[in-house]
Amino acid sequence: MKWNMNQGAPGFWCCYKTNHTMELIYPLATNGKLFPWAKIRLPPDVVPLHYDLVLQPNLTTLKFAGSVNIVVNVIQVTWKIVLHSSGLNITKATITSAGGHQAKPAEFLEYPLHDQIAVMAPEALLVGQNYTVNIEYSSNLSDTYYGFYKISYKDETSEQRWFAATQFEPLAARSAFPCFDEPAFKATFLIKIKRDEKLLTLSNMPKVPKATTPVTHGIVQDEFFVSLKMSTYLVAFVVADLKNISRETNGSLVSIYAIPQHLNQVGYALNTAVKLLEFYQEYFLINYPLEKLDLVAIPDFQSGAMENWGLITFRETALLFDSDTSSARDKKLITAVIAHELAHQWFGNLVTMEWWNDLWLNEGFATFMEYVAMEEIFPDLHSDEDLLNLIFKAMMKDSLNSSHPVSSAVQSSEQIEEMFDALSYIKGASLLLMLKHYLTKDVFQAGIEVYLHNHNYGSAQSDDLWDSMNEVSIFDTLFLFFHCSDQQTCGNVKKLMKTWILHKGFPLVTVVRKRNVISIQQEKFLYHMEPENWTSDTSYLWHIPLTYITSSCNFTHCTNAYLLDQKSAVIELPEEVEWIKFNVDMNGYYIVHYTEDWKTLIDLLKKNHTALSPKDRANLINNIFNLAGLGKESLEKAFELIDYLNKESSTAPLTQALFQLSHIYSLLEKKGEQQLAHRIEHLLGDKIDQQRWTDDGTLSERELRSMLLAFACTHDMRNCRTTATEMFKKWMKSNGTMSLPSDVMKAIFIAGAKSSDGWEFLLKMYSSSVSEAEKSKMIEALATTEDVRKLIWLMQNSLEGEVIRAQELSHIISTVSQSLTGYLLAWDFVKENWEKLTRKFHLGSYTIQNIISLSTSQFATKAHLLEVKSFFESKSEESSQLRCVKEAIDTIQLNIQWMERNLAKLQELL
């Protein structure tokens, strides 16, 4: 065990020799005594059954006091009870035996490196007996976004108000109360909170009526009903001045809470939450088990939302909908986040992953169900197209050497934090989507029902899910639909899915067509780079449920299927066809290389692009650009394929093309190359000209308009800036009272922020706006300025969190790092403020992952590669070993390789 003396814990381990091998015994507690446990995971000798928790947060002193009684059951005889505690000042500990009336004082030892304390029993704790541990303590409300934390906001009269809330996932319940803080240690919780009588408290369960009692002058205590059996990371409480609206559905009261000035923006969320709750109860055939469900908009919040059972917390932009300033895109975001968090009430809360290595069982499932629910209830939102674009991005991450299997062994807090990434969420969801198509919709749904029924109020591992699917999968259906070389593989869900979740990366399937004979072969999609740590496992075999359509019948019901569980295989078609397209609607997690057949598909898109679905067209664009990056296909051919885009009117292919082109544009721009702009304008100019500066049309058309015009105004294409600047000037003249179409608001603000007066006015409006949707568009526009001092001011002030909330920082860095003016500034800012950033957002968190990858993703020179490597090597081992750091380095190496391979060709091409 390597010791880092900066951890603030004693740095000595005691060892003794047995047969000449060194064995670890025990580390030392803070008082110099032996601490009786050496592992990061808690011992299995006692388990918690119930917690009685009393808390008194003080929003004036910003401290809190607490007392917890934990009823534990002894599994094997022991003298110690080891549990978690982090940053708590413990003043007293006692143990009471089941029949005993006498609480006996107990010695307690602290070992901060593992966030552990050991309560030492005065006598042996006997198997099968229950004991009650009582611990009294105090602490400060956190100034990060983690644990029991405080935030401030301005009320309607511009007075500063304080707000206390919790964020415990993954490892912060221990910083609010001593507890067994691992997901499998489920227990029931009775919570009491003392608060100022003018404030409101919420927790997972409803308040016990008439149980609010006076404590001292102006302070009262609320008591909540005993919870269901649940994990510590799902416990939650909020103390603030909030207002709400509510509606009952199927015996549960659904409420949306917000600070008073935002109460007029919660209507959409209430309607959406009720519809989704009803949908999930029908889909899972299990009723939502609590009598209430609260959704709370929190003024300053690090992630998008958190699924605490019965008390879901949200960032305001993910819950509040303002009909004047929220765009079609905003509406989709709110719907998706509510759908995701409500799915967790079953996946995650009712059935929880046993340990964080299977986090994807929570997050992949909630992401997958979010899209299932949205397609069913809100088909006009076309959310499946969003999932498609997210899968493309996850595959970029998964193609790097720094990637990890969806299910990966984790232990340290940084490793656990880093599991919250695109692979757990999006690759997890994508694999479930693939399985759903493989098993058929009904079999898949039945498997989910079995899984939830078998494990409710308990914990599960990935294998439990595959076993539930195997229980219901009707072999005959599979054989009818999927051609398999091996009948045993065909019916075995566990065997199939293990090839996907226990291995990083994904397959590249190469297709060669000779008349009616199709040869297919799989290999790992792998960038050949030469770093010393490159690990190659090219011999790996996936079991790939391939799907394909051909020119003889290209409707969805004509989808053909083949399970490729060998390195290569041959498919014989009943007749010769003009073209074949694999991975129908991108329902599989793999990339396809058509070798000679790319030409046929390029011609098809030119002549009759609607012969393929919009998702299939987006899939071809994505695949060919990826293959060009890999060197398997020429960039020229990729550009040839997107030549058809002037006829394209669907969002998915246009979004994917813009994504690929923006990426190349950004790399070229840093080299002073501008030619690509003309090519993009030639391709999309007519599309940009056709957009109206209004909010009419279908949600899909509106979203496309937002995207195209924001892109055109950012890159100064067509007359976008002229139109937008005129509208901005009128808005400025009206002192911000004139209403702007919400879908084009961002484009208008981006144009306005180019002038110094416009930027200052926008900042003034930002400070006074009560619409979070509007503020979000303003902040992005403010970050597109070319004024270096303003960009530095913006990042600095967001980190300080006074004028601009710290929750906006990664959004700001993301925007700043895209531009030629800002990309070096963003990286300098990260370097200079690294300690502050990791203290505020903690190491490994999603925010830190984003900040690292965004601030370095534009680099494409060896000098920058060296600088990024050296910077992280100079930091603590915890920092330099972060997976997102390795990913940033991989990305820069890829950018360098891409430029070496393609720059000269591009100059010719353009």
Side-chain angles (χ1 to χ4, degrees), residues 526-584:
L526 188 65
Y527 290 106
H528 290 288
M529 305 191 319
E530 272 68 60
E532 58 293 343
N533 60 352
W534 194 261
T535 53
S536 174
D537 38 13
T538 42
S539 61
Y540 190 76
L541 271 188
W542 281 268
H543 292 179
I544 314 170
L546 296 173
T547 52
Y548 60 94
I549 46 170
T550 68
S551 52
S552 64
C553 181
N554 57 351
F555 299 108
T556 321
H557 65 264
C558 296
T559 300
N560 302 282
Y562 184 91
L563 187 75
L564 180 62
D565 53 2
Q566 310 289 326
K567 177 90 177 131
S568 58
V570 172
I571 301 172
E572 283 195 40
L573 302 179
E575 59 193 325
E576 207 172 318
V577 293
E578 282 166 45
W579 55 264
I580 187 166
K581 158 75 178 67
F582 275 82
N583 202 357
V584 180

Side-chain angles (χ1 to χ4, degrees), residues 417-554:
E417 285 284 353
E418 281 206 287
M419 287 302 279
F420 290 81
D421 69 0
L423 300 179
S424 294
Y425 286 70
I426 311 302
K427 182 177 181 178
S430 173
L431 298 181
L432 291 167
L433 179 71
M434 185 165 73
L435 183 61
K436 183 185 97 169
H437 284 279
Y438 175 64
L439 291 177
T440 70
K441 192 175 158 186
D442 296 344
V443 174
F444 181 83
Q445 187 174 344
I448 288 180
E449 287 160 11
V450 168
Y451 170 76
L452 288 173
H453 278 283
N454 285 353
H455 301 282
N456 60 3
Y457 301 105
S459 308
Q461 302 173 1
S462 299
D463 276 357
D464 296 319
L465 178 63
W466 313 139
D467 290 339
S468 300
M469 292 290 172
N470 271 341
E471 236 176 90
V472 296
S473 66
I474 305 147
F475 283 34
D476 299 347
T477 347
L478 292 181
F479 297 151
L480 282 174
F481 189 58
F482 268 86
H483 297 289
C484 303
S485 56
D486 172 359
Q487 295 288 309
Q488 278 183 312
T489 306
C490 212
N492 190 334
V493 173
K494 189 188 281 188
K495 200 169 174 185
L496 172 102
M497 292 309 287
K498 277 191 152 176
T499 70
W500 293 92
I501 69 157
L502 298 178
H503 201 74
K504 67 182 184 184
F506 53 86
L508 167 63
V509 175
T510 302
V511 175
V512 179
R513 180 170 65 102
K514 294 230 164 52
R515 299 182 124 104
N516 69 327
V517 176
I518 315 291
S519 304
I520 46 178
Q521 99 170 26
Q522 63 160 303
E523 64 191 285
K524 182 168 182 160
F525 184 96
L526 188 65
Y527 290 106
H528 290 288
M529 305 191 319
E530 272 68 60
E532 58 293 343
N533 60 352
W534 194 261
T535 53
S536 174
D537 38 13
T538 42
S539 61
Y540 190 76
L541 271 188
W542 281 268
H543 292 179
I544 314 170
L546 296 173
T547 52
Y548 60 94
I549 46 170
T550 68
S551 52
S552 64
C553 181
N554 57 351

